[in-house]
């Protein structure tokens, strides 16, 4: 007799518990560290802030970029953070002094924490992602239509792939670090071999609408793809179409989505109607719409171990908000 899968836990609603304004301009990205001890935020003001994931108090500000920052990625052990900027560079920051805390963290200025500047993109760098298996490899994508693979230790670009015909909106490594998925304004989503740079598969090739975001699921079996026609698609990594998530508004901005796996399995996304949407992964139905932001919610992040969501808003909002599930 086959065993039935365990029923999903009943959905417990999220509610806002904190808000903060750590930047002077629009938030572009929010990212909990894999260790869960920090929340990194990026902004069009060119800075990266490190916040307490419980109080949202600013612990440190990382300065060095000369233009807006669009994306952030943590190394798996949370020691390093990389930031992608309109100044055409990726910066790698050493976060170990902050995690150590106390006088050591206070003594190190934000600029001193930058250990490497990756130069090679010829236009805005829009996305960057650490290889989950090693903090010495980073993938990036930009408005020069390339996907680049970097040796983070030496700062050298090891692969420059002419990946798309229009700006690259996202790059993301699979869990084992062997392949990278990229999305682009050209309407395609492609998978690349991280070592050789070869294109292994075109998952989506629609021309229109633009692909505004793409990422592998935590287990590597699925690819979540956002398109600028108000739809989120979930495909098998093999390319076979699986599910559509809809109800939110996304026609203009590259909104970053996330998988939530700490209590049930959900898809979480920002929206241009100033809300955060939570869908049931299997059922595709909207479980909750979180209201509070006063502009487009551009980025969301789910805490690695706690039932907690962070969200960031654009120009007329500029807040980072923290949502937790009722116990």
């Amino acid at each position: 007799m086959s065993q039935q899968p365990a029923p999903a836990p009943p959905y417990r609603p999220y509610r806002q518990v904190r808000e903060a304004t750590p930047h002077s301009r629009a938030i572009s990205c929010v990212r909990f560290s894999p260790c869960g001890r920090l929340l990194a935020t990026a902004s069009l003001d060119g800075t990266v802030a490190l916040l307490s994931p419980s109080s949202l108090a600013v612990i440190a500000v990382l300065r060095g970029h000369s233009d807006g920052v669009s994306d952030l990625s943590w190394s798996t052990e949370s020691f390093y953070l990389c930031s992608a900027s309109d100044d055409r560079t990726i910066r790698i920051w050493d976060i170990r002094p902050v995690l150590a805390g106390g006088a050591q963290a206070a003594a190190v200025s934000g600029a001193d924490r930058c250990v490497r500047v990756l130069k090679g993109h010829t236009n805005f760098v829009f996305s960057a992602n650490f290889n989950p298996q090693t903090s010495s490899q980073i993938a990036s994508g930009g408005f020069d239509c390339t996907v680049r693979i970097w040796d983070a230790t030496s700062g050298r670009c090891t692969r420059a792939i002419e990946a798309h015909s229009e700006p690259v909106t996202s790059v993301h490594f699979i869990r084992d670090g062997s392949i990278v998925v990229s999305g682009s304004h050209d309407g395609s989503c492609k998978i690349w071999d991280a070592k050789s740079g070869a294109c292994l598969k075109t998952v989506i090739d629609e021309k229109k609408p633009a692909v505004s975001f793409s990422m592998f699921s935590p287990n590597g079996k699925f690819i979540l793809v956002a398109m600028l026609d108000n739809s989120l698609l979930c495909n098998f990594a093999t390319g076979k179409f699986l599910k559509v998530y809809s109800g939110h508004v996304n026609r203009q901005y590259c909104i970053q989505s996330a998988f939530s796996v700490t209590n049930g399995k959900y898809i979480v996304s920002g929206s241009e109607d100033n809300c955060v949407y939570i869908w049931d992964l299997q059922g595709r139905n909207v479980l909750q719409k979180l209201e509070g932001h006063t502009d487009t919610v551009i980025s969301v992040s789910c805490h690695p171990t706690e039932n907690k969501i962070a969200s960031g808003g654009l120009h007329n909002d500029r807040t980072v908000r923290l949502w937790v599930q009722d116990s």
Side-chain angles (χ1 to χ4, degrees):
M1 189 172 151
S2 63
Q3 251 191 330
Q4 291 295 311
Y11 182 77
R12 301 205 314 270
Y14 281 83
R15 60 186 171 85
Q16 184 183 311
V17 289
R18 292 275 185 279
E19 72 174 85
T21 311
H23 298 280
S24 61
R25 292 186 63 192
I27 306 295
S28 54
C29 182
V30 293
R31 291 270 187 272
F32 283 110
S33 61
C35 69
R37 290 176 53 202
L38 291 169
L39 173 65
T41 62
S43 169
L44 299 191
D45 68 9
T47 67
V48 175
L50 300 175
L51 313 183
S52 158
S54 51
S55 69
L56 297 188
V58 176
I59 297 166
V61 178
L62 308 177
R63 293 183 172 88
H65 283 295
S66 59
D67 211 332
V69 180
S70 290
D71 198 18
L72 298 169
S73 176
W74 288 93
S75 61
T76 300
E77 76 293 308
S78 303
F79 289 171
Y80 298 97
L81 181 71
C82 72
S83 51
S85 171
D86 287 359
D87 68 9
R88 305 182 182 189
T89 71
I90 299 136
R91 283 180 175 253
I92 304 172
W93 312 86
D94 185 353
I95 309 301
R96 288 174 295 181
V98 182
L99 290 170
Q104 188 183 359
V108 185
S109 74
D112 292 340
R113 286 198 194 101
C114 181
V115 292
R116 193 76 67 232
V117 181
L118 308 182
K119 295 179 179 177
H121 279 285
T122 57
N123 206 327
F124 305 152
V125 190
F126 201 68
S127 181
N129 190 238
F130 266 108
N131 183 325
Q133 296 299 319
T134 170
S135 57
S136 64
Q137 191 177 57
I138 289 170
S140 65
F143 273 50
D144 59 6
C145 309
T146 67
V147 169
R148 290 173 189 257
I149 308 293
W150 305 83
D151 180 330
T153 310
S154 67
R156 198 169 59 88
C157 177
T158 57
R159 284 269 175 273
I161 307 162
E162 300 292 335
H164 293 276
S165 59
E166 288 191 47
V168 179
T169 55
S170 56
V171 289
H172 192 250
F173 278 99
I174 197 167
R175 184 172 68 171
D176 70 7
S178 62
I179 57 177
V180 174
V181 64
S182 67
S184 168
H185 275 303
D186 67 11
S188 71
C189 178
K190 299 178 182 181
I191 294 176
W192 308 91
D193 184 287
K195 270 196 179 137
S196 69
C199 183
L200 302 178
K201 188 178 289 290
T202 299
V203 184
I204 293 173
D205 194 10
E206 296 291 339
K207 303 293 184 278
K208 282 184 178 178
V211 173
S212 53
F213 181 73
S214 59
M215 73 176 293
F216 284 104
S217 60
N219 64 11
K221 289 181 181 175
F222 310 105
I223 298 171
L224 186 65
V225 182
M227 307 185 82
L228 292 184
D229 66 348
N230 306 325
S231 69
L232 269 170
L233 312 181
C234 194
N235 289 35
F236 283 109
T238 56
K240 184 170 167 251
F241 172 72
L242 187 63
K243 294 180 190 295
V244 182
Y245 303 86
S246 58
H248 65 310
V249 183
N250 187 13
R251 291 190 173 275
Q252 185 177 359
Y253 296 106
C254 293
I255 291 173
Q256 299 168 346
S257 311
F259 287 88
S260 172
V261 293
T262 50
N263 179 43
K265 291 185 167 55
Y266 312 129
I267 303 284
V268 184
S269 177
S271 175
E272 289 161 18
D273 63 1
N274 312 347
C275 297
V276 176
Y277 281 74
I278 303 171
W279 291 267
D280 176 54
L281 179 70
Q282 294 301 336
R284 298 173 305 184
N285 49 306
V286 175
L287 293 169
Q288 197 177 359
K289 187 172 141 183
L290 308 180
E291 300 179 353
H293 283 284
T294 55
D295 202 346
T296 293
V297 180
I298 195 72
S299 181
V300 294
S301 181
C302 299
H303 192 279
T305 57
E306 299 169 25
N307 302 323
K308 194 182 275 188
I309 295 169
S311 57
L314 285 188
H315 321 276
N316 295 323
D317 179 82
R318 300 199 312 277
T319 65
V320 174
R321 293 174 192 242
L322 196 62
W323 316 79
V324 299
Q325 272 185 324
D326 289 319
S327 53

